């Protein structure tokens, strides 16, 4: 098992949470567990400060941040 | 109805109003400025010479209180790129233009005598007045004097000392609803074009102007409400941008390996947490006083992504402090001190230079060893060199290409002579495709794809993404909308519906796309006639073989890839 600290920044209302999940869980599987709003296009998944994509596996304890995708600065 | 063009001749000091030409009726914003430039400016015109024209336009909904619809668009042949240029900003000037009924001001010719002028535009006509008492003064002081002379409610379009000196980094400022003259059409050296014309300021006085005519008033109000509801129900436009401002982008670009760092040699900055949206919000709110993490730069703006950054005593230091500035004067220089960046921003605003271009130039100078990366005091020292008009300051204020050539630096992050904004090209490749191919040069506002849910460090699909983004944002530019509405805009027809209700037209969203494609082709045509070829549609060579350490990517496109782009 691996331990994930998940911070969801999609909304101000979301509190950080901790999860224990199987090793080698994919980002897509993690998103299914988190039951996020159905707007995959509108979010970026960041693990330990690095963007990850749906087909990537999480292999060790990590900090997951879910960011809203923005149109620019 | 918003259908007049104010033509201003600086050689004879005459100004006259005329109706929009046949074929221009549907054009506004960037579409109108670019079409006028294509039709009226010789492609080989010297940018600072008598045959260039400065074209100031507003959008089709200017003068109304539709949120985010009052961008001011300024175009000319650029002294920085040598090609066609448009740069737009918020502020109140476009709203005033709309109220006055002018969809464009076209400034032509050069003054016979080397004097400074202020153009005052009112409901009853225009006047040229002396601007000599403003010469040499910073933008803040200029605005204060103009408010005392002409009233505090006017729209102002003005240049700083940089524009007067015709420096290539000179931008054009206009004022926000609080009276702060810090909304910049910063890119491309357009301030130098205004300076070359002897025009130090334009005052837009809309006193006694009647309310805008709305052909279908009820429909207009309904559609406006619908549009506003879109903005208020989208998390990005209703929560993230109002709370953290554009600086919220930094957490995204840093995670993507797309945050310009150390003169664009890296895409991830260790000090980003001290600069990002949360750090900015925390700093502003903890200091209180005159600071505010949210602020609307245009009349009626609901997104309010601007801010007012206070110093430690709670007094206004600068407004706004934006993502691009924090990147180019921060991470790109490895400076992680928001106060230093804000002070640098203040110096740039008052002198009237583009923070992106200056940041690129200072990055190049730091690579040359003129100062050390990460040294905030050196950043301020170099900006004071600019403000004090030393020879080193002049070099920096000529932009990153001139700085690189002068100081013998090979890594110069520029395309078509213009420095890159806050998206590292190997980290966010689609935006870099825009840098390479847009007639604007390296310009994120010409088509930023950072929001797309793709692997940004890979090549696949990036050209198509860039093409779509160039058309998408080009449409907003043509209508006078702020690009920040994009995440909330599920259906472009709402834009057409509001325009139709104002003018009694029957445009579709597809018509808007066609208008956009048409003017993008006009921009390319101007550049082609000015001498640009596919050889100009490239990034500097080092991006093709030096790896971005943040993601292991190089920029792996060649000329043939652009065939997929089709406006």
């Amino acid at each position: 098992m691996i331990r994930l600290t998940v911070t969801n920044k999609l909304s101000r209302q979301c509190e950080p949470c901790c999860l224990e999940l199987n090793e080698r869980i994919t980002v897509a599987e993690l998103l299914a567990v988190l039951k996020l709003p159905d707007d995959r296009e509108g979010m970026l998944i960041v693990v330990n400060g690095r963007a990850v994509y749906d087909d990537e596996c999480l292999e060790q304890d990590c900090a997951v941040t879910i960011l809203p995708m923005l149109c620019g600065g | 109805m918003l259908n007049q063009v104010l033509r201003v001749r600086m050689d004879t000091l005459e100004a006259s109003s005329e109706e929009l030409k046949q074929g221009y009726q549907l054009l506004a914003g960037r579409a109108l400025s670019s079409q006028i430039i294509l039709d009226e400016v010789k492609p080989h015109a010297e940018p600072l010479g008598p045959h260039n024209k400065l074209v100031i336009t507003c959008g089709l909904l200017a003068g109304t209180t539709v949120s985010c619809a009052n961008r001011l668009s300024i175009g000319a042949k650029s002294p920085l790129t040598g090609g066609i240029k448009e740069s737009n900003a918020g502020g109140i000037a476009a709203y005033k233009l709309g109220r006055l009924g002018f969809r464009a001001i076209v400034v032509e010719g050069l003054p016979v005598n080397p004097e400074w002028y202020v153009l005052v535009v009112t409901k009853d006509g225009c006047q040229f007045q002396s601007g000599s008492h403003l010469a040499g003064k910073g933008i803040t002081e200029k605005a204060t004097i103009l408010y005392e002379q002409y009233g505090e409610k006017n729209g102002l379009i003005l240049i700083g000392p940089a524009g007067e000196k015709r420096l290539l980094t000179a931008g054009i400022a206009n004022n926000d609803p609080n009276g702060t003259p810090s909304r910049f059409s910063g890119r491309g050296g357009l301030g130098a074009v205004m300076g070359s014309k002897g025009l130090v300021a334009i005052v837009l006085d809309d006193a006694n102007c009647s309310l805008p005519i709305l052909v279908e008033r009820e429909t207009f109000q309904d559609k406006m409400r619908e549009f506003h509801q879109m903005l208020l129900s989208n998390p990005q436009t209703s929560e993230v941008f109002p709370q953290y401002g554009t600086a919220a982008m930094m957490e995204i670009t840093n995670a993507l390996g797309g945050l310009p760092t150390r003169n664009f040699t890296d895409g991830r900055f260790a000090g980003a947490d001290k600069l990002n949206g949360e750090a900015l919000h925390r700093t502003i709110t903890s200091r209180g006083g005159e600071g505010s993490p949210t602020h609307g730069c245009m009349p009626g703006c609901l997104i309010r992504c601007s801010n007012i950054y206070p110093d430690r005593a709670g007094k206004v230091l600068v407004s706004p402090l934006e993502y691009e500035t924090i990147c180019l004067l921060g991470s790109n220089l490895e400076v992680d001190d928001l106060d230093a960046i804000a002070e640098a921003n203040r110096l740039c605003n008052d002198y009237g230079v583009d923070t992106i271009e200056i940041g690129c130039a200072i990055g190049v100078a730091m690579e040359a060893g003129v100062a050390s990366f990460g040294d905030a005091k050196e950043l301020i020292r170099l900006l004071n060199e600019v403000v004090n008009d030393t020879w080193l300051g002049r070099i920096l204020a000529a932009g990153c290409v001139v700085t690189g050539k002068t100081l013998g630096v090979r890594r110069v992050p520029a395309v078509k002579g213009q420095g890159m904004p806050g998206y590292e090209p190997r980290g966010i490749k689609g935006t870099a495709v825009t840098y390479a191919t847009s007639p604007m040069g390296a310009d994120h506002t010409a088509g930023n794809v950072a929001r797309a849910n793709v692997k940004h460090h890979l090549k696949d699909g990036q050209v198509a993404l860039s093409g779509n983004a160039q058309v998408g944002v080009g449409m907003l530019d043509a209508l006078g909308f702020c690009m920040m509405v994009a995440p909330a805009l599920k259906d472009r027809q709402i834009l057409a519906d509001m325009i139709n209700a104002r003018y009694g037209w029957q445009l579709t969203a597809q018509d808007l796309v066609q208008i956009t494609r048409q003017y993008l082709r006009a921009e390319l045509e101007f550049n082609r006639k000015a001498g640009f070829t596919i050889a100009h549609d490239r990034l500097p060579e080092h991006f093709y073989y030096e790896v971005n350490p943040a993601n292991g990517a190089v920029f792996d496109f060649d000329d043939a890839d652009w065939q997929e782009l089709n406006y």
Side-chain angles (χ1 to χ4, degrees), chain B residues 18-33:
Chain B
E18 64 192 36
E19 283 213 6
L20 278 167
K21 277 202 289 194
Q22 194 71 25
Y24 283 16
Q25 280 82 359
L26 301 180
L27 305 182
R30 177 177 162 195
L32 181 56
S33 72

Side-chain angles (χ1 to χ4, degrees), chain B residues 274-412:
Chain B
K274 295 181 182 174
L275 303 179
N276 64 20
E278 290 179 9
L280 182 66
H281 182 267
R282 196 166 50 242
T283 304
I284 294 173
T285 52
S286 68
R287 289 179 178 176
E290 296 170 352
S292 174
T294 185
H295 169 249
C297 80
M298 284 186 279
C301 177
L302 294 173
I303 300 179
R304 297 173 61 82
C305 68
S306 175
N307 58 52
I308 302 171
Y309 187 89
D311 62 17
R312 288 174 187 276
K315 295 285 180 192
V316 176
L317 178 53
V318 74
S319 174
L321 186 55
E322 300 268 13
Y323 170 75
E324 298 298 331
T325 299
I326 299 172
C327 280
L328 274 300
L329 296 174
S331 63
N332 187 48
L333 310 179
E334 294 190 320
V335 169
D336 62 5
D337 178 343
L338 275 175
D339 283 338
I341 297 165
E343 171 61 8
N345 194 166
R346 187 191 67 79
L347 289 167
C348 288
N349 285 2
D350 201 46
Y351 199 61
V353 291
D354 175 18
T355 55
I356 296 175
E357 192 65 43
I358 281 285
C360 285
I362 292 176
V364 169
M366 284 182 168
E367 178 144 339
V370 171
S372 300
F373 283 104
D375 191 331
K377 287 182 180 166
E378 285 291 86
L379 164 62
I380 301 301
R381 179 182 71 80
L382 290 177
L383 277 169
N384 277 311
E385 297 269 355
V386 173
V387 170
N388 294 326
D389 202 24
T390 66
W391 284 112
L392 174 58
R394 279 262 167 161
I395 292 165
L396 295 171
C400 64
V401 170
V402 170
T403 300
K405 286 182 177 176
T406 309
L407 300 178
V409 176
R410 70 179 176 86
R411 290 192 191 92
V412 177

Side-chain angles (χ1 to χ4, degrees), chain B residues 48 79 114 116 161-170 189 191-193 195-198 394:
Chain B
L48 304 182
W116 293 110
E164 296 168 28
K165 291 168 185 155
R166 304 166 183 80
L167 305 181
L168 298 180
T169 51
V193 178
S196 75
K197 301 202 174 298
R394 279 262 167 161

Side-chain angles (χ1 to χ4, degrees), chain A residues 9 12 40 51 55 69-70 73, chain B residues 243 251 255 278 423 450 455:
Chain A
K9 297 188 179 179
R12 270 180 279 192
R40 183 67 188 89
D55 54 354
M69 286 303 279
L70 303 174
Chain B
Q243 185 167 17
E251 203 168 354
E278 290 179 9
Y423 304 86
K455 295 181 178 179

Side-chain angles (χ1 to χ4, degrees), chain A residues 7 9-13 39-56 65 67-73, chain B residues 235-236 238-241 243 246 248-249 251-252 255-256 268 278 323-324 423 444 448 450-457 483-484 487:
Chain A
T7 305
K9 297 188 179 179
L10 295 178
S11 169
R12 270 180 279 192
Q13 279 81 43
D39 180 21
R40 183 67 188 89
E41 294 290 312
M43 62 184 85
L44 180 72
I45 314 303
V46 178
V47 172
N48 294 338
R50 189 178 66 85
V52 294
Y53 300 95
D54 286 10
D55 54 354
E56 291 187 51
T65 308
L67 297 175
M69 286 303 279
L70 303 174
C71 56
Chain B
Q236 283 128 45
S238 67
E239 287 190 38
V240 180
F241 278 139
Q243 185 167 17
T246 57
M249 272 309 291
E251 203 168 354
I252 294 170
L256 292 171
R268 193 164 289 141
E278 290 179 9
Y323 170 75
E324 298 298 331
Y423 304 86
H444 65 295
N448 191 356
R451 186 167 182 269
N453 188 8
V454 298
K455 295 181 178 179
H456 286 278
H457 60 294
M483 67 180 184
M484 294 303 162

Side-chain angles (χ1 to χ4, degrees), chain B residues 50-307:
Chain B
H51 302 121
N52 197 8
K53 298 187 182 186
L54 188 73
V55 184
I56 300 167
T57 63
C58 59
L60 288 169
L61 297 174
T64 73
T65 52
V66 174
S67 180
C68 311
N70 279 286
R71 296 287 288 187
L72 184 74
S73 194
I74 305 183
K77 181 175 179 181
S78 163
L80 186 73
T81 69
I84 197 164
K85 191 67 204 168
E86 186 269 355
S87 185
N88 62 65
I92 65 171
Y95 177 80
K96 301 288 182 181
L97 265 186
R99 297 250 306 153
L100 285 158
F102 291 115
R103 208 184 292 179
I105 299 176
V106 182
V107 185
E108 314 181 353
L110 300 183
V112 175
N113 299 312
E115 292 179 17
W116 293 110
Y117 295 95
V118 175
L119 177 71
V120 183
V121 185
T122 69
K123 176 175 174 282
D124 301 319
C126 331
Q127 279 188 322
F128 291 89
Q129 303 205 345
S130 173
S132 58
H133 60 302
L134 300 171
K137 292 182 165 41
I139 283 183
T140 305
E141 189 178 356
K142 277 192 177 96
T144 302
I145 295 168
L146 290 166
Y147 288 138
E148 284 170 2
Q149 266 188 283
Y150 301 104
E152 292 184 351
K153 291 184 177 174
N154 296 324
L156 303 179
I157 300 170
L158 69 169
I159 56 172
E164 296 168 28
K165 291 168 185 155
R166 304 166 183 80
L167 305 181
L168 298 180
T169 51
I172 298 174
N174 86 89
N175 50 343
D176 71 13
N178 298 21
T180 306
S182 62
R183 313 311 309 193
F184 272 86
S185 294
R187 310 240 60 200
L190 298 176
V193 178
M194 187 161 163
S196 75
K197 301 202 174 298
L199 198 53
V200 77
I202 299 173
V203 177
L204 301 169
D205 179 354
D206 65 344
N208 302 317
C209 287
S210 48
L211 290 170
I213 297 167
L214 304 170
V215 172
E216 297 168 34
R217 180 171 290 275
E218 276 189 29
T219 306
F220 184 86
Q221 300 291 355
D222 288 346
K223 292 298 175 183
M224 181 170 75
R225 271 194 290 274
E226 188 182 332
F227 174 64
H228 287 175
Q229 197 52 45
M230 283 183 187
L231 298 179
L232 292 171
S233 59
N234 179 279
Q236 283 128 45
T237 49
S238 67
E239 287 190 38
V240 180
F241 278 139
Q243 185 167 17
Y244 300 116
T246 57
M249 272 309 291
M250 184 165 283
E251 203 168 354
I252 294 170
T253 52
N254 202 44
L256 292 171
L259 178 64
T261 302
R262 200 178 176 88
N263 189 30
F264 285 80
T265 57
D266 203 340
R268 193 164 289 141
F269 180 42
D273 286 351
K274 295 181 182 174
L275 303 179
N276 64 20
E278 290 179 9
L280 182 66
H281 182 267
R282 196 166 50 242
T283 304
I284 294 173
T285 52
S286 68
R287 289 179 178 176
E290 296 170 352
S292 174
T294 185
H295 169 249
C297 80
M298 284 186 279
C301 177
L302 294 173
I303 300 179
R304 297 173 61 82
C305 68
S306 175
N307 58 52

Side-chain angles (χ1 to χ4, degrees), chain A residues 2 4 23-25 27 30 47 56-60 62:
Chain A
I2 57 172
L4 310 180
E23 278 181 50
R24 298 198 58 75
I25 186 172
V27 170
L30 170 64
V47 172
E56 291 187 51
C57 293
L58 306 180
E59 297 181 347
Q60 53 192 352
C62 56

